[in-house]
Amino acid sequence: MGITNQAKMIETTIKTVTALAHSPMVRVDREDFLRSQFADSPYLDKILAQGPQSVYGLEELRRMADKVISGSATQTALASFVAGLPANPLIAIPVGGVDVLQYFGFALNMAQRLAYLFGDQELFEDGKTDISEKTRITIIAYLGGMLGVAGSAGLIAKISRQASAVVGKRVAAKVLTMTMWHPAVEKVAMLVGKKITQKTVDDAISKVVPLVGGVISGGLTYATYKPMGARFADLLMKRAKGELA
């Protein structure tokens, strides 16, 4: 891929990440999610303070993750079916773009839930519409992990190590920056951009046929969404076991 195309793919990823970060439906409040997930647990206070992994074993957390993935897959497939109904080729591309943004919005929403199950801290800062460089990099890593792009596992591991190193400390602005991690972030962002672009084209094609377009769109979404969630949950399991390089 030429340098110009690589830059376009990275730009696509950055634009998508920025759009997702400004969508209220994407954000998951860590405390609210954990309270609903572990409402009956006598260890709720410890879970909120230290994460579910401080109470539950990894295999049990993985089973919980599967339930989160199944629920999210059904929800996003239904939304994709509705968005897939338009049959006018002239509006297929614009509607397809909205559906793609919705698709990755649901994916990022699910990724947060899975990450919180395995002990991650809040992704988005409370009350802030603008996102930090750390959050932007983390979102890219989450999307890359779900899509199975090369380098995303290492990026997730690096983010986790950096976070662990600064627990209880105020992080200097330069600690987590795109510049510092430029090669790793750029590679993952470029590959994520390719996936987003392909998803946009596929969705636009599926919307040309009335009703069938909705069935195809929803079906493809469900078929791809569950493996994405499982892939990300597996990465989180490996990270917890110290198996990510």
Side-chain angles (χ1 to χ4, degrees):
M1 181 182 291
I3 294 175
T4 301
N5 283 338
Q6 289 182 27
K8 286 182 179 178
M9 294 301 99
I10 292 171
E11 183 182 6
T12 294
T13 297
I14 298 302
K15 285 182 176 179
T16 301
V17 166
T18 301
L20 293 177
H22 286 85
S23 173
M25 59 80 70
V26 169
R27 301 190 177 207
V28 177
D29 184 280
R30 176 182 177 274
E31 182 172 333
D32 286 350
F33 168 68
L34 293 179
R35 283 188 181 279
S36 64
Q37 191 76 20
F38 300 99
D40 299 327
S41 174
Y43 307 106
L44 181 58
D45 288 341
K46 184 176 182 180
I47 290 169
L48 294 176
Q50 301 177 28
Q53 82 291 345
S54 65
V55 174
Y56 297 91
L58 292 180
E59 295 303 325
E60 191 166 2
L61 290 176
R62 187 64 178 80
R63 287 192 291 272
M64 294 179 191
D66 284 339
K67 292 180 181 179
V68 170
I69 293 166
S70 293
S72 295
T74 300
Q75 184 181 18
T76 195
L78 288 172
S80 184
F81 170 80
V82 173
L85 290 178
N88 184 344
L90 296 178
I91 65 171
I93 293 295
V95 175
V98 171
D99 189 23
V100 167
L101 195 61
Q102 178 175 263
Y103 176 87
F104 286 105
F106 275 119
L108 182 55
N109 181 287
M110 175 182 67
Q112 289 169 81
R113 296 171 190 271
L114 296 176
Y116 297 155
L117 276 181
F118 285 89
D120 281 21
Q121 293 303 304
E122 195 83 38
L123 178 62
F124 295 102
E125 296 179 58
D126 245 354
K128 291 189 177 181
T129 54
D130 292 332
I131 59 173
S132 67
E133 197 79 335
K134 172 184 177 294
T135 299
R136 184 176 291 107
I137 292 171
T138 303
I139 293 173
I140 291 172
Y142 281 4
L143 291 177
M146 287 186 289
L147 293 167
V149 305
S152 54
L155 189 55
I156 289 172
K158 195 167 187 177
I159 291 169
S160 299
R161 286 196 297 269
Q162 189 66 260
S164 298
V166 297
V167 170
K169 303 176 183 177
R170 182 171 292 278
V171 184
K174 65 180 182 180
V175 171
L176 292 168
T177 67
M178 193 78 80
T179 301
M180 178 180 175
W181 292 357
H182 189 270
V185 177
E186 185 180 70
K187 178 182 178 182
V188 174
M190 185 268 291
L191 294 173
V192 168
K194 286 180 65 177
K195 296 280 190 178
I196 293 171
T197 301
Q198 186 59 52
K199 173 69 177 168
T200 302
V201 172
D202 291 346
D203 274 32
I205 292 172
S206 75
K207 289 174 173 58
V208 174
V209 182
L211 187 58
V212 175
V215 174
I216 292 173
S217 183
L220 286 176
T221 294
Y222 189 82
T224 60
Y225 200 77
K226 290 192 76 173
M228 280 172 56
R231 188 181 296 119
F232 189 61
D234 287 343
L235 278 179
L236 295 174
M237 284 278 288
K238 289 180 179 179
R239 183 188 64 179
K241 295 175 180 178
E243 296 175 358
L244 291 187

PDB file of all heavy atoms in Angstrom, residues 143-183:
ATOM      1  N   LEU A 143     -10.366  -1.383  18.989  1.00  0.00           N
ATOM      2  CA  LEU A 143     -10.915  -1.716  17.681  1.00  0.00           C
ATOM      3  C   LEU A 143     -10.002  -2.698  16.950  1.00  0.00           C
ATOM      4  O   LEU A 143     -10.467  -3.654  16.333  1.00  0.00           O
ATOM      5  CB  LEU A 143     -11.093  -0.436  16.843  1.00  0.00           C
ATOM      6  CG  LEU A 143     -12.172   0.549  17.307  1.00  0.00           C
ATOM      7  CD1 LEU A 143     -12.171   1.786  16.412  1.00  0.00           C
ATOM      8  CD2 LEU A 143     -13.552  -0.091  17.309  1.00  0.00           C
ATOM      9  N   GLY A 144      -8.697  -2.444  17.020  1.00  0.00           N
ATOM     10  CA  GLY A 144      -7.742  -3.345  16.383  1.00  0.00           C
ATOM     11  C   GLY A 144      -7.810  -4.742  16.955  1.00  0.00           C
ATOM     12  O   GLY A 144      -7.751  -5.735  16.215  1.00  0.00           O
ATOM     13  N   GLY A 145      -7.954  -4.836  18.274  1.00  0.00           N
ATOM     14  CA  GLY A 145      -8.056  -6.139  18.928  1.00  0.00           C
ATOM     15  C   GLY A 145      -9.291  -6.902  18.491  1.00  0.00           C
ATOM     16  O   GLY A 145      -9.236  -8.106  18.226  1.00  0.00           O
ATOM     17  N   MET A 146     -10.432  -6.214  18.379  1.00  0.00           N
ATOM     18  CA  MET A 146     -11.661  -6.876  17.953  1.00  0.00           C
ATOM     19  C   MET A 146     -11.593  -7.316  16.498  1.00  0.00           C
ATOM     20  O   MET A 146     -12.125  -8.358  16.125  1.00  0.00           O
ATOM     21  CB  MET A 146     -12.852  -5.939  18.170  1.00  0.00           C
ATOM     22  CG  MET A 146     -13.237  -5.775  19.632  1.00  0.00           C
ATOM     23  SD  MET A 146     -14.744  -4.797  19.849  1.00  0.00           S
ATOM     24  CE  MET A 146     -14.135  -3.173  19.409  1.00  0.00           C
ATOM     25  N   LEU A 147     -10.915  -6.497  15.672  1.00  0.00           N
ATOM     26  CA  LEU A 147     -10.833  -6.790  14.240  1.00  0.00           C
ATOM     27  C   LEU A 147      -9.708  -7.759  13.904  1.00  0.00           C
ATOM     28  O   LEU A 147      -9.580  -8.193  12.765  1.00  0.00           O
ATOM     29  CB  LEU A 147     -10.642  -5.485  13.461  1.00  0.00           C
ATOM     30  CG  LEU A 147     -11.840  -4.528  13.492  1.00  0.00           C
ATOM     31  CD1 LEU A 147     -11.431  -3.149  12.959  1.00  0.00           C
ATOM     32  CD2 LEU A 147     -13.011  -5.078  12.697  1.00  0.00           C
ATOM     33  N   GLY A 148      -8.868  -8.070  14.893  1.00  0.00           N
ATOM     34  CA  GLY A 148      -7.784  -9.019  14.679  1.00  0.00           C
ATOM     35  C   GLY A 148      -6.633  -8.475  13.851  1.00  0.00           C
ATOM     36  O   GLY A 148      -5.943  -9.250  13.185  1.00  0.00           O
ATOM     37  N   VAL A 149      -6.412  -7.156  13.883  1.00  0.00           N
ATOM     38  CA  VAL A 149      -5.339  -6.591  13.069  1.00  0.00           C
ATOM     39  C   VAL A 149      -3.987  -6.799  13.757  1.00  0.00           C
ATOM     40  O   VAL A 149      -3.887  -6.785  14.992  1.00  0.00           O
ATOM     41  CB  VAL A 149      -5.557  -5.089  12.766  1.00  0.00           C
ATOM     42  CG1 VAL A 149      -6.909  -4.868  12.119  1.00  0.00           C
ATOM     43  CG2 VAL A 149      -5.424  -4.237  14.014  1.00  0.00           C
ATOM     44  N   ALA A 150      -2.973  -6.978  12.950  1.00  0.00           N
ATOM     45  CA  ALA A 150      -1.626  -7.219  13.465  1.00  0.00           C
ATOM     46  C   ALA A 150      -1.137  -6.045  14.303  1.00  0.00           C
ATOM     47  O   ALA A 150      -1.341  -4.892  13.944  1.00  0.00           O
ATOM     48  CB  ALA A 150      -0.670  -7.462  12.293  1.00  0.00           C
ATOM     49  N   GLY A 151      -0.521  -6.357  15.420  1.00  0.00           N
ATOM     50  CA  GLY A 151       0.058  -5.326  16.272  1.00  0.00           C
ATOM     51  C   GLY A 151      -0.847  -4.830  17.375  1.00  0.00           C
ATOM     52  O   GLY A 151      -0.390  -4.182  18.320  1.00  0.00           O
ATOM     53  N   SER A 152      -2.147  -5.127  17.286  1.00  0.00           N
ATOM     54  CA  SER A 152      -3.082  -4.601  18.286  1.00  0.00           C
ATOM     55  C   SER A 152      -2.883  -5.251  19.654  1.00  0.00           C
ATOM     56  O   SER A 152      -3.019  -4.581  20.689  1.00  0.00           O
ATOM     57  CB  SER A 152      -4.527  -4.780  17.819  1.00  0.00           C
ATOM     58  OG  SER A 152      -4.787  -6.123  17.486  1.00  0.00           O
ATOM     59  N   ALA A 153      -2.553  -6.545  19.679  1.00  0.00           N
ATOM     60  CA  ALA A 153      -2.331  -7.220  20.957  1.00  0.00           C
ATOM     61  C   ALA A 153      -1.154  -6.592  21.694  1.00  0.00           C
ATOM     62  O   ALA A 153      -1.212  -6.341  22.906  1.00  0.00           O
ATOM     63  CB  ALA A 153      -2.072  -8.713  20.728  1.00  0.00           C
ATOM     64  N   GLY A 154      -0.080  -6.323  20.964  1.00  0.00           N
ATOM     65  CA  GLY A 154       1.078  -5.686  21.580  1.00  0.00           C
ATOM     66  C   GLY A 154       0.767  -4.291  22.070  1.00  0.00           C
ATOM     67  O   GLY A 154       1.257  -3.867  23.117  1.00  0.00           O
ATOM     68  N   LEU A 155      -0.066  -3.573  21.322  1.00  0.00           N
ATOM     69  CA  LEU A 155      -0.447  -2.218  21.730  1.00  0.00           C
ATOM     70  C   LEU A 155      -1.288  -2.250  23.002  1.00  0.00           C
ATOM     71  O   LEU A 155      -1.093  -1.442  23.913  1.00  0.00           O
ATOM     72  CB  LEU A 155      -1.219  -1.544  20.592  1.00  0.00           C
ATOM     73  CG  LEU A 155      -1.529  -0.050  20.751  1.00  0.00           C
ATOM     74  CD1 LEU A 155      -0.260   0.756  20.993  1.00  0.00           C
ATOM     75  CD2 LEU A 155      -2.275   0.464  19.517  1.00  0.00           C
ATOM     76  N   ILE A 156      -2.219  -3.209  23.078  1.00  0.00           N
ATOM     77  CA  ILE A 156      -3.041  -3.359  24.287  1.00  0.00           C
ATOM     78  C   ILE A 156      -2.160  -3.688  25.484  1.00  0.00           C
ATOM     79  O   ILE A 156      -2.341  -3.145  26.578  1.00  0.00           O
ATOM     80  CB  ILE A 156      -4.104  -4.461  24.073  1.00  0.00           C
ATOM     81  CG1 ILE A 156      -5.181  -3.972  23.098  1.00  0.00           C
ATOM     82  CG2 ILE A 156      -4.746  -4.869  25.406  1.00  0.00           C
ATOM     83  CD1 ILE A 156      -6.165  -5.042  22.670  1.00  0.00           C
ATOM     84  N   ALA A 157      -1.188  -4.562  25.290  1.00  0.00           N
ATOM     85  CA  ALA A 157      -0.271  -4.930  26.377  1.00  0.00           C
ATOM     86  C   ALA A 157       0.538  -3.724  26.825  1.00  0.00           C
ATOM     87  O   ALA A 157       0.746  -3.507  28.025  1.00  0.00           O
ATOM     88  CB  ALA A 157       0.657  -6.047  25.913  1.00  0.00           C
ATOM     89  N   LYS A 158       0.984  -2.925  25.873  1.00  0.00           N
ATOM     90  CA  LYS A 158       1.802  -1.759  26.199  1.00  0.00           C
ATOM     91  C   LYS A 158       0.997  -0.721  26.976  1.00  0.00           C
ATOM     92  O   LYS A 158       1.485  -0.130  27.941  1.00  0.00           O
ATOM     93  CB  LYS A 158       2.347  -1.139  24.909  1.00  0.00           C
ATOM     94  CG  LYS A 158       3.484  -0.158  25.120  1.00  0.00           C
ATOM     95  CD  LYS A 158       4.171   0.152  23.795  1.00  0.00           C
ATOM     96  CE  LYS A 158       5.426   0.995  24.034  1.00  0.00           C
ATOM     97  NZ  LYS A 158       6.162   1.252  22.774  1.00  0.00           N
ATOM     98  N   ILE A 159      -0.249  -0.515  26.565  1.00  0.00           N
ATOM     99  CA  ILE A 159      -1.127   0.417  27.278  1.00  0.00           C
ATOM    100  C   ILE A 159      -1.333  -0.049  28.713  1.00  0.00           C
ATOM    101  O   ILE A 159      -1.282   0.742  29.658  1.00  0.00           O
ATOM    102  CB  ILE A 159      -2.489   0.532  26.551  1.00  0.00           C
ATOM    103  CG1 ILE A 159      -2.317   1.240  25.209  1.00  0.00           C
ATOM    104  CG2 ILE A 159      -3.498   1.287  27.415  1.00  0.00           C
ATOM    105  CD1 ILE A 159      -3.546   1.168  24.331  1.00  0.00           C
ATOM    106  N   SER A 160      -1.555  -1.348  28.893  1.00  0.00           N
ATOM    107  CA  SER A 160      -1.787  -1.911  30.223  1.00  0.00           C
ATOM    108  C   SER A 160      -0.559  -1.763  31.116  1.00  0.00           C
ATOM    109  O   SER A 160      -0.675  -1.421  32.292  1.00  0.00           O
ATOM    110  CB  SER A 160      -2.176  -3.383  30.115  1.00  0.00           C
ATOM    111  OG  SER A 160      -3.361  -3.532  29.375  1.00  0.00           O
ATOM    112  N   ARG A 161       0.609  -2.022  30.543  1.00  0.00           N
ATOM    113  CA  ARG A 161       1.845  -1.875  31.329  1.00  0.00           C
ATOM    114  C   ARG A 161       2.057  -0.424  31.740  1.00  0.00           C
ATOM    115  O   ARG A 161       2.446  -0.143  32.874  1.00  0.00           O
ATOM    116  CB  ARG A 161       3.038  -2.377  30.524  1.00  0.00           C
ATOM    117  CG  ARG A 161       3.123  -3.885  30.400  1.00  0.00           C
ATOM    118  CD  ARG A 161       4.496  -4.337  29.936  1.00  0.00           C
ATOM    119  NE  ARG A 161       4.812  -3.842  28.601  1.00  0.00           N
ATOM    120  CZ  ARG A 161       4.539  -4.508  27.482  1.00  0.00           C
ATOM    121  NH1 ARG A 161       3.941  -5.694  27.553  1.00  0.00           N
ATOM    122  NH2 ARG A 161       4.867  -4.011  26.306  1.00  0.00           N
ATOM    123  N   GLN A 162       1.764   0.474  30.832  1.00  0.00           N
ATOM    124  CA  GLN A 162       1.923   1.890  31.136  1.00  0.00           C
ATOM    125  C   GLN A 162       0.956   2.323  32.230  1.00  0.00           C
ATOM    126  O   GLN A 162       1.306   3.064  33.141  1.00  0.00           O
ATOM    127  CB  GLN A 162       1.682   2.713  29.869  1.00  0.00           C
ATOM    128  CG  GLN A 162       2.033   4.183  29.993  1.00  0.00           C
ATOM    129  CD  GLN A 162       3.504   4.425  30.197  1.00  0.00           C
ATOM    130  OE1 GLN A 162       3.924   4.653  31.320  1.00  0.00           O
ATOM    131  NE2 GLN A 162       4.284   4.373  29.137  1.00  0.00           N
ATOM    132  N   ALA A 163      -0.290   1.824  32.136  1.00  0.00           N
ATOM    133  CA  ALA A 163      -1.297   2.161  33.142  1.00  0.00           C
ATOM    134  C   ALA A 163      -0.897   1.624  34.510  1.00  0.00           C
ATOM    135  O   ALA A 163      -1.053   2.296  35.530  1.00  0.00           O
ATOM    136  CB  ALA A 163      -2.655   1.604  32.729  1.00  0.00           C
ATOM    137  N   SER A 164      -0.372   0.394  34.553  1.00  0.00           N
ATOM    138  CA  SER A 164       0.043  -0.217  35.816  1.00  0.00           C
ATOM    139  C   SER A 164       1.204   0.551  36.451  1.00  0.00           C
ATOM    140  O   SER A 164       1.304   0.665  37.665  1.00  0.00           O
ATOM    141  CB  SER A 164       0.474  -1.670  35.584  1.00  0.00           C
ATOM    142  OG  SER A 164      -0.599  -2.433  35.105  1.00  0.00           O
ATOM    143  N   ALA A 165       2.058   1.103  35.606  1.00  0.00           N
ATOM    144  CA  ALA A 165       3.243   1.799  36.105  1.00  0.00           C
ATOM    145  C   ALA A 165       2.913   3.129  36.749  1.00  0.00           C
ATOM    146  O   ALA A 165       3.701   3.657  37.537  1.00  0.00           O
ATOM    147  CB  ALA A 165       4.240   2.014  34.968  1.00  0.00           C
ATOM    148  N   VAL A 166       1.731   3.660  36.420  1.00  0.00           N
ATOM    149  CA  VAL A 166       1.399   4.991  36.938  1.00  0.00           C
ATOM    150  C   VAL A 166       0.211   4.979  37.889  1.00  0.00           C
ATOM    151  O   VAL A 166      -0.356   6.026  38.187  1.00  0.00           O
ATOM    152  CB  VAL A 166       1.120   5.967  35.769  1.00  0.00           C
ATOM    153  CG1 VAL A 166       2.362   6.148  34.928  1.00  0.00           C
ATOM    154  CG2 VAL A 166      -0.050   5.488  34.925  1.00  0.00           C
ATOM    155  N   VAL A 167      -0.171   3.803  38.368  1.00  0.00           N
ATOM    156  CA  VAL A 167      -1.278   3.727  39.314  1.00  0.00           C
ATOM    157  C   VAL A 167      -0.959   4.562  40.548  1.00  0.00           C
ATOM    158  O   VAL A 167       0.093   4.436  41.159  1.00  0.00           O
ATOM    159  CB  VAL A 167      -1.556   2.259  39.728  1.00  0.00           C
ATOM    160  CG1 VAL A 167      -2.541   2.215  40.886  1.00  0.00           C
ATOM    161  CG2 VAL A 167      -2.104   1.477  38.555  1.00  0.00           C
ATOM    162  N   GLY A 168      -1.900   5.426  40.904  1.00  0.00           N
ATOM    163  CA  GLY A 168      -1.698   6.264  42.087  1.00  0.00           C
ATOM    164  C   GLY A 168      -0.857   7.492  41.835  1.00  0.00           C
ATOM    165  O   GLY A 168      -0.600   8.270  42.747  1.00  0.00           O
ATOM    166  N   LYS A 169      -0.417   7.685  40.594  1.00  0.00           N
ATOM    167  CA  LYS A 169       0.395   8.854  40.268  1.00  0.00           C
ATOM    168  C   LYS A 169      -0.327   9.696  39.226  1.00  0.00           C
ATOM    169  O   LYS A 169      -1.161   9.211  38.476  1.00  0.00           O
ATOM    170  CB  LYS A 169       1.759   8.425  39.706  1.00  0.00           C
ATOM    171  CG  LYS A 169       2.562   7.525  40.637  1.00  0.00           C
ATOM    172  CD  LYS A 169       3.846   7.086  39.949  1.00  0.00           C
ATOM    173  CE  LYS A 169       4.636   6.126  40.835  1.00  0.00           C
ATOM    174  NZ  LYS A 169       5.856   5.634  40.162  1.00  0.00           N
ATOM    175  N   ARG A 170       0.032  10.962  39.149  1.00  0.00           N
ATOM    176  CA  ARG A 170      -0.498  11.819  38.108  1.00  0.00           C
ATOM    177  C   ARG A 170       0.360  11.624  36.867  1.00  0.00           C
ATOM    178  O   ARG A 170       1.567  11.791  36.907  1.00  0.00           O
ATOM    179  CB  ARG A 170      -0.479  13.293  38.545  1.00  0.00           C
ATOM    180  CG  ARG A 170      -1.064  14.241  37.498  1.00  0.00           C
ATOM    181  CD  ARG A 170      -1.230  15.628  38.067  1.00  0.00           C
ATOM    182  NE  ARG A 170      -2.263  15.672  39.084  1.00  0.00           N
ATOM    183  CZ  ARG A 170      -3.565  15.769  38.835  1.00  0.00           C
ATOM    184  NH1 ARG A 170      -3.994  15.799  37.587  1.00  0.00           N
ATOM    185  NH2 ARG A 170      -4.439  15.819  39.808  1.00  0.00           N
ATOM    186  N   VAL A 171      -0.278  11.249  35.755  1.00  0.00           N
ATOM    187  CA  VAL A 171       0.466  10.927  34.547  1.00  0.00           C
ATOM    188  C   VAL A 171       0.876  12.208  33.821  1.00  0.00           C
ATOM    189  O   VAL A 171       0.050  13.081  33.577  1.00  0.00           O
ATOM    190  CB  VAL A 171      -0.392  10.073  33.597  1.00  0.00           C
ATOM    191  CG1 VAL A 171       0.419   9.649  32.383  1.00  0.00           C
ATOM    192  CG2 VAL A 171      -0.922   8.864  34.341  1.00  0.00           C
ATOM    193  N   ALA A 172       2.142  12.309  33.497  1.00  0.00           N
ATOM    194  CA  ALA A 172       2.609  13.442  32.713  1.00  0.00           C
ATOM    195  C   ALA A 172       1.986  13.359  31.328  1.00  0.00           C
ATOM    196  O   ALA A 172       1.737  12.284  30.805  1.00  0.00           O
ATOM    197  CB  ALA A 172       4.134  13.397  32.597  1.00  0.00           C
ATOM    198  N   ALA A 173       1.719  14.516  30.741  1.00  0.00           N
ATOM    199  CA  ALA A 173       1.030  14.550  29.451  1.00  0.00           C
ATOM    200  C   ALA A 173       1.771  13.771  28.380  1.00  0.00           C
ATOM    201  O   ALA A 173       1.175  13.231  27.463  1.00  0.00           O
ATOM    202  CB  ALA A 173       0.862  16.003  29.010  1.00  0.00           C
ATOM    203  N   LYS A 174       3.086  13.675  28.504  1.00  0.00           N
ATOM    204  CA  LYS A 174       3.868  13.022  27.467  1.00  0.00           C
ATOM    205  C   LYS A 174       3.923  11.496  27.604  1.00  0.00           C
ATOM    206  O   LYS A 174       4.461  10.816  26.747  1.00  0.00           O
ATOM    207  CB  LYS A 174       5.298  13.557  27.468  1.00  0.00           C
ATOM    208  CG  LYS A 174       6.078  13.236  28.727  1.00  0.00           C
ATOM    209  CD  LYS A 174       7.490  13.807  28.639  1.00  0.00           C
ATOM    210  CE  LYS A 174       8.302  13.455  29.889  1.00  0.00           C
ATOM    211  NZ  LYS A 174       9.661  13.994  29.851  1.00  0.00           N
ATOM    212  N   VAL A 175       3.360  10.956  28.687  1.00  0.00           N
ATOM    213  CA  VAL A 175       3.482   9.517  28.929  1.00  0.00           C
ATOM    214  C   VAL A 175       2.790   8.701  27.841  1.00  0.00           C
ATOM    215  O   VAL A 175       3.325   7.727  27.342  1.00  0.00           O
ATOM    216  CB  VAL A 175       2.912   9.151  30.314  1.00  0.00           C
ATOM    217  CG1 VAL A 175       2.825   7.640  30.463  1.00  0.00           C
ATOM    218  CG2 VAL A 175       3.810   9.713  31.397  1.00  0.00           C
ATOM    219  N   LEU A 176       1.575   9.090  27.512  1.00  0.00           N
ATOM    220  CA  LEU A 176       0.826   8.366  26.499  1.00  0.00           C
ATOM    221  C   LEU A 176       0.540   9.300  25.325  1.00  0.00           C
ATOM    222  O   LEU A 176      -0.413  10.070  25.364  1.00  0.00           O
ATOM    223  CB  LEU A 176      -0.501   7.844  27.071  1.00  0.00           C
ATOM    224  CG  LEU A 176      -0.389   6.739  28.116  1.00  0.00           C
ATOM    225  CD1 LEU A 176      -1.718   6.509  28.804  1.00  0.00           C
ATOM    226  CD2 LEU A 176       0.098   5.457  27.487  1.00  0.00           C
ATOM    227  N   THR A 177       1.359   9.257  24.325  1.00  0.00           N
ATOM    228  CA  THR A 177       1.165  10.129  23.180  1.00  0.00           C
ATOM    229  C   THR A 177       1.322   9.360  21.887  1.00  0.00           C
ATOM    230  O   THR A 177       2.018   8.365  21.812  1.00  0.00           O
ATOM    231  CB  THR A 177       2.184  11.283  23.179  1.00  0.00           C
ATOM    232  OG1 THR A 177       3.488  10.744  22.962  1.00  0.00           O
ATOM    233  CG2 THR A 177       2.146  12.053  24.476  1.00  0.00           C
ATOM    234  N   MET A 178       0.639   9.844  20.863  1.00  0.00           N
ATOM    235  CA  MET A 178       0.740   9.231  19.546  1.00  0.00           C
ATOM    236  C   MET A 178       2.178   9.303  19.045  1.00  0.00           C
ATOM    237  O   MET A 178       2.660   8.404  18.370  1.00  0.00           O
ATOM    238  CB  MET A 178      -0.192   9.960  18.571  1.00  0.00           C
ATOM    239  CG  MET A 178      -0.422   9.237  17.272  1.00  0.00           C
ATOM    240  SD  MET A 178      -1.597   7.866  17.420  1.00  0.00           S
ATOM    241  CE  MET A 178      -3.150   8.746  17.370  1.00  0.00           C
ATOM    242  N   THR A 179       2.868  10.393  19.393  1.00  0.00           N
ATOM    243  CA  THR A 179       4.244  10.576  18.935  1.00  0.00           C
ATOM    244  C   THR A 179       5.168   9.531  19.537  1.00  0.00           C
ATOM    245  O   THR A 179       5.976   8.905  18.848  1.00  0.00           O
ATOM    246  CB  THR A 179       4.755  11.982  19.304  1.00  0.00           C
ATOM    247  OG1 THR A 179       3.902  12.954  18.705  1.00  0.00           O
ATOM    248  CG2 THR A 179       6.171  12.184  18.804  1.00  0.00           C
ATOM    249  N   MET A 180       5.016   9.310  20.842  1.00  0.00           N
ATOM    250  CA  MET A 180       5.889   8.374  21.544  1.00  0.00           C
ATOM    251  C   MET A 180       5.744   6.957  20.989  1.00  0.00           C
ATOM    252  O   MET A 180       6.717   6.225  20.833  1.00  0.00           O
ATOM    253  CB  MET A 180       5.548   8.392  23.034  1.00  0.00           C
ATOM    254  CG  MET A 180       6.354   7.413  23.872  1.00  0.00           C
ATOM    255  SD  MET A 180       5.860   7.534  25.606  1.00  0.00           S
ATOM    256  CE  MET A 180       6.833   6.218  26.316  1.00  0.00           C
ATOM    257  N   TRP A 181       4.499   6.583  20.677  1.00  0.00           N
ATOM    258  CA  TRP A 181       4.229   5.231  20.203  1.00  0.00           C
ATOM    259  C   TRP A 181       3.936   5.212  18.707  1.00  0.00           C
ATOM    260  O   TRP A 181       3.287   4.320  18.212  1.00  0.00           O
ATOM    261  CB  TRP A 181       3.034   4.653  20.951  1.00  0.00           C
ATOM    262  CG  TRP A 181       3.290   4.387  22.395  1.00  0.00           C
ATOM    263  CD1 TRP A 181       4.461   4.547  23.079  1.00  0.00           C
ATOM    264  CD2 TRP A 181       2.352   3.897  23.343  1.00  0.00           C
ATOM    265  NE1 TRP A 181       4.306   4.197  24.384  1.00  0.00           N
ATOM    266  CE2 TRP A 181       3.028   3.788  24.580  1.00  0.00           C
ATOM    267  CE3 TRP A 181       1.010   3.536  23.264  1.00  0.00           C
ATOM    268  CZ2 TRP A 181       2.398   3.340  25.735  1.00  0.00           C
ATOM    269  CZ3 TRP A 181       0.376   3.092  24.413  1.00  0.00           C
ATOM    270  CH2 TRP A 181       1.073   2.988  25.634  1.00  0.00           C
ATOM    271  N   HIS A 182       4.418   6.192  18.002  1.00  0.00           N
ATOM    272  CA  HIS A 182       4.014   6.410  16.623  1.00  0.00           C
ATOM    273  C   HIS A 182       4.024   5.154  15.756  1.00  0.00           C
ATOM    274  O   HIS A 182       3.030   4.850  15.100  1.00  0.00           O
ATOM    275  CB  HIS A 182       4.873   7.508  15.990  1.00  0.00           C
ATOM    276  CG  HIS A 182       4.382   7.938  14.655  1.00  0.00           C
ATOM    277  ND1 HIS A 182       4.801   7.344  13.481  1.00  0.00           N
ATOM    278  CD2 HIS A 182       3.490   8.885  14.284  1.00  0.00           C
ATOM    279  CE1 HIS A 182       4.201   7.918  12.463  1.00  0.00           C
ATOM    280  NE2 HIS A 182       3.408   8.853  12.916  1.00  0.00           N
ATOM    281  N   PRO A 183       5.101   4.387  15.702  1.00  0.00           N
ATOM    282  CA  PRO A 183       5.122   3.224  14.802  1.00  0.00           C
ATOM    283  C   PRO A 183       4.020   2.205  15.099  1.00  0.00           C
ATOM    284  O   PRO A 183       3.332   1.741  14.190  1.00  0.00           O
ATOM    285  CB  PRO A 183       6.515   2.624  15.036  1.00  0.00           C
ATOM    286  CG  PRO A 183       7.334   3.754  15.558  1.00  0.00           C
ATOM    287  CD  PRO A 183       6.382   4.557  16.395  1.00  0.00           C
TER     288      PRO A 183
END
